[in-house]
Amino acid sequence: MNLTTYSRRKAHEVNIGGVKVGSSHPIQVQSMTNTPTADTVSSVEQVKRIADAGAPIVRLTAQGRKEGENLENIVARLREDGYQTAIVADIHFVPEVASIAARYVDKVRINPGNYRTSNGELEALIAQCRERGVALRIGVNHGSLAKRIFDEWGDTPQGMVVSAMEFLKVCRREEFDQVVVSMKSSNTRVMVHAYRLLVEAMEREGMTYPIHLGVTEAGNGIEGRIKSAVGIGALLSDGIGDTIRVSLTEAPENEVPVAKMLVDYYAERCGEFEVKYPEKYHSTEYVRRSQVTTPLTHDEFAADMRVIEAVSKNPSAELRAAILNMDDAEPVAVKCRYEDTDAEVVAVKAAADLGVLFLDGLADGIWVDAPALSEAEVRDIELMILQAARVRFSHTEYIACPSCGRTLYDIEKTLADIKARTSHLKNLKIGIMGCIVNGPGEMADADYGYVGAAAGRITLYKGREIVERNIPQEEAIDRLIELIKANGDWQEPA
């Protein structure tokens, strides 16, 4: 028998404007503004709200020179007002804006999908960051891999790792270690697998860069919180993660309490569990352990369903060990009790504890034992966890981005309006994206897409294909419904 214990992956220290991350420091929480970065007043006020909610790191988009230059005014105003919040610039399509932003901020996030390593741009940025003490994030997005990476690897976790490692090797060659790396996706299974592969690749190279965790386009409400908790929780259970962001299509300050809840919850992980099989089950491609194809909620269990209940403060490790120690492939349900009275708290904790067991193909049934909640609330939470883990789709899934300064319409209201008209549909995925930066890629497995194209204009997708371009926003939802009906995916509400 082997013992498995919870411990953080070793990560060296990175200083982000005085906020230190790495395995010798607590996991840090961050969020991102959705105000126009060219608007100093609204951006400063939103950063303050996020900071007051408890996030020491805040990111702002800098999609052009104007936004990059205005970071100077935003940072200056924040410092004048007594806020020492670490400020991060998010760079996408215009790499030269990174050198502008690096004059003013504490960290620059670049997307390898829109950057090159062959022309010295990255080396020049590293030199500039080193001079000012600015950190760098290599932020890989599933939805925006470079064409040459996509052509060879497709939009796969392996392709994401290749993209990240190419940039990390340049940083190592330049002897620049103030680097954080992330591997984000709206698909929790892709996201978790990509991070695990990245850790394995970095271990082979002796790299200890800190890791930032996040599920993109998680949506809103309890469903968005569950989706984030399934992905982030799976990796925190592995000891992976030094900073996190819970991305919600809501006011960004709403993200912070959820992220802090996850951080606090994993600060209590403990215990040693004997495991008969020492190999990492989750290092393989997804495969189900049993012959069960559709996992069940607790009210659907057959009388002979074997139930394993967690009793420790580390349910994920305890339940994984118990399942891996079984000598057969008998279907098994996992159960965990939560005494919390708030449905959101139960949902986040249960998703973090149990979601990973479905992502890894180990469990066949879920039982969230929450006596303070109604049976209907518990069933909804169980179904949402199964859907977030992508093992059972029971309702419309919304792949909705949290929005940022690039978004040119009210995405929070739009999501609510689309949900009000489509939530009764079965086994359908709808992407609601603020802009084209990650939109078409992140919603690649969606059935339909609603993507901001310009101010007041929307482009509609069927799968990966554009169906209608630049529709006036006031007509776009009706046209989306017409598109769904035209393709035979509409059902009238019951």
Side-chain angles (χ1 to χ4, degrees):
M1 294 290 242
N2 292 266
L3 288 178
T4 179
T5 60
Y6 177 77
S7 61
R8 296 253 316 265
R9 163 191 168 267
K10 181 182 179 182
H12 65 254
E13 180 179 288
V14 171
N15 187 350
I16 307 170
V19 179
K20 295 179 179 179
V21 303
S23 55
S24 61
H25 301 282
I27 297 170
Q28 300 289 0
V29 169
Q30 57 181 276
S31 183
M32 184 175 184
T33 61
N34 59 17
T35 52
T37 307
D39 184 337
T40 303
V41 173
S42 62
S43 295
V44 167
E45 290 307 308
Q46 193 170 73
V47 171
K48 289 179 179 179
R49 291 195 295 274
I50 295 169
D52 290 344
I57 305 170
V58 178
R59 183 160 45 110
L60 299 91
T61 185
Q63 67 267 44
R65 297 183 64 88
K66 179 174 67 174
E67 290 81 9
E69 292 288 0
N70 199 50
L71 289 167
E72 179 181 21
N73 298 322
I74 292 170
V75 173
R77 186 75 62 85
L78 287 166
R79 303 301 181 244
E80 288 170 7
D81 293 348
Y83 282 79
Q84 298 305 312
T85 308
I87 301 299
V88 182
D90 189 82
I91 312 298
H92 268 278
F93 288 134
V94 191
E96 55 265 32
V97 177
S99 64
I100 297 172
R103 302 173 197 161
Y104 313 119
V105 300
D106 303 301
K107 182 170 75 172
V108 174
R109 181 264 177 172
I110 60 171
N111 181 352
N114 296 307
Y115 224 86
R116 290 171 289 179
T117 59
S118 59
N119 59 2
E121 285 179 336
L122 181 56
E123 288 86 347
L125 178 61
I126 288 171
Q128 186 180 6
C129 289
R130 192 197 316 273
E131 183 177 353
R132 273 200 70 239
V134 175
L136 187 66
R137 169 146 74 97
I138 307 300
V140 180
N141 273 80
H142 182 219
S144 54
L145 296 177
K147 184 179 183 301
R148 58 187 174 78
I149 298 290
F150 183 88
D151 287 347
E152 182 173 356
W153 297 93
D155 56 348
T156 62
Q158 291 85 353
M160 295 171 69
V161 173
V162 169
S163 181
M165 291 301 293
E166 179 182 49
F167 277 64
L168 291 176
K169 288 176 181 178
V170 174
C171 293
R172 183 172 62 180
R173 188 178 68 233
E174 296 296 310
E175 299 183 342
F176 183 69
D177 69 352
Q178 294 299 287
V179 180
V180 178
V181 61
S182 63
M183 309 284 284
K184 292 191 175 183
S185 174
S186 61
N187 182 319
T188 53
R189 192 176 296 167
V190 170
M191 172 256 193
V192 169
H193 192 45
Y195 274 108
R196 287 170 169 172
L197 287 176
L198 174 69
V199 168
E200 292 176 0
M202 287 201 294
E203 286 177 351
R204 288 194 296 269
E205 296 286 340
M207 294 177 175
T208 58
Y209 299 105
I211 288 177
H212 169 69
L213 302 180
V215 178
T216 59
E217 290 81 45
N220 65 355
I222 286 186
E223 187 172 14
R225 286 155 174 78
I226 284 175
K227 189 172 182 180
S228 284
V230 165
I232 294 172
L235 293 160
L236 292 179
S237 295
D238 292 346
I240 298 170
D242 303 288
T243 76
I244 69 170
R245 179 195 176 191
V246 171
S247 297
L248 299 174
T249 311
E250 300 178 16
E253 55 266 32
N254 291 357
E255 299 175 350
V256 180
V258 188
K260 288 172 67 68
M261 187 194 313
L262 283 169
V263 169
D264 292 343
Y265 195 43
Y266 279 87
E268 298 182 2
R269 298 287 111 159
C270 60
E272 293 184 338
F273 303 94
E274 291 186 339
V275 180
K276 184 183 300 183
Y277 305 105
E279 69 271 13
K280 291 182 179 179
Y281 187 88
H282 60 233
S283 67
T284 65
E285 291 289 347
Y286 177 78
V287 59
R288 287 208 56 78
R289 174 187 155 275
S290 77
Q291 295 301 309
V292 173
T293 56
T294 304
L296 306 175
T297 59
H298 82 276
D299 57 342
E300 300 170 325
F301 291 172
D304 59 349
M305 171 73 81
R306 179 172 179 179
V307 178
I308 301 177
E309 182 171 6
V311 295
S312 75
K313 287 189 175 182
N314 195 344
S316 304
E318 179 189 357
L319 293 168
R320 174 187 274 132
I323 295 170
L324 290 178
N325 287 340
M326 293 173 62
D327 292 320
D328 54 37
E330 177 187 356
V332 61
V334 289
K335 178 181 180 181
C336 198
R337 185 177 180 89
Y338 302 92
E339 301 292 350
D340 306 275
T341 58
D342 187 306
E344 178 181 315
V345 174
V346 172
V348 170
K349 289 182 177 180
D353 288 332
L354 305 178
V356 63
L357 302 168
F358 294 93
L359 284 174
D360 288 345
L362 293 173
D364 307 294
I366 183 171
W367 188 342
V368 175
D369 182 10
L373 306 187
S374 68
E375 278 294 311
E377 288 176 307
V378 170
R379 178 173 169 78
D380 283 346
I381 289 170
E382 291 175 344
L383 286 171
M384 282 188 266
I385 292 172
L386 296 178
Q387 180 148 321
R390 308 187 75 78
V391 293
R392 176 175 175 176
F393 292 90
S394 56
H395 56 277
T396 307
E397 179 176 356
Y398 300 94
I399 305 168
C401 76
S403 83
C404 67
R406 295 185 296 266
T407 304
L408 298 174
Y409 68 94
D410 187 342
I411 194 168
E412 190 174 344
K413 181 180 184 301
T414 300
L415 174 59
D417 291 343
I418 292 176
K419 275 189 169 185
R421 298 182 64 177
T422 63
S423 61
H424 66 286
L425 300 176
K426 305 297 183 184
N427 300 319
L428 209 63
K429 303 184 188 74
I430 301 176
I432 301 99
M433 313 300 294
C435 70
I436 62 169
V437 168
N438 295 314
E442 288 292 358
M443 64 174 202
D445 66 343
D447 300 291
Y448 299 93
Y450 179 110
V451 180
R457 295 282 169 170
I458 303 297
T459 293
L460 296 181
Y461 285 73
K462 172 70 171 72
R464 293 173 181 260
E465 300 298 321
I466 293 176
V467 178
E468 295 187 80
R469 296 180 186 271
N470 299 320
I471 302 168
Q473 186 182 344
E474 57 271 19
E475 303 174 12
I477 296 181
D478 286 339
R479 301 272 276 274
L480 173 65
I481 302 301
E482 291 171 8
L483 178 62
I484 295 172
K485 290 180 177 179
N487 283 276
D489 290 324
W490 184 264
Q491 308 102 35
E492 292 300 329

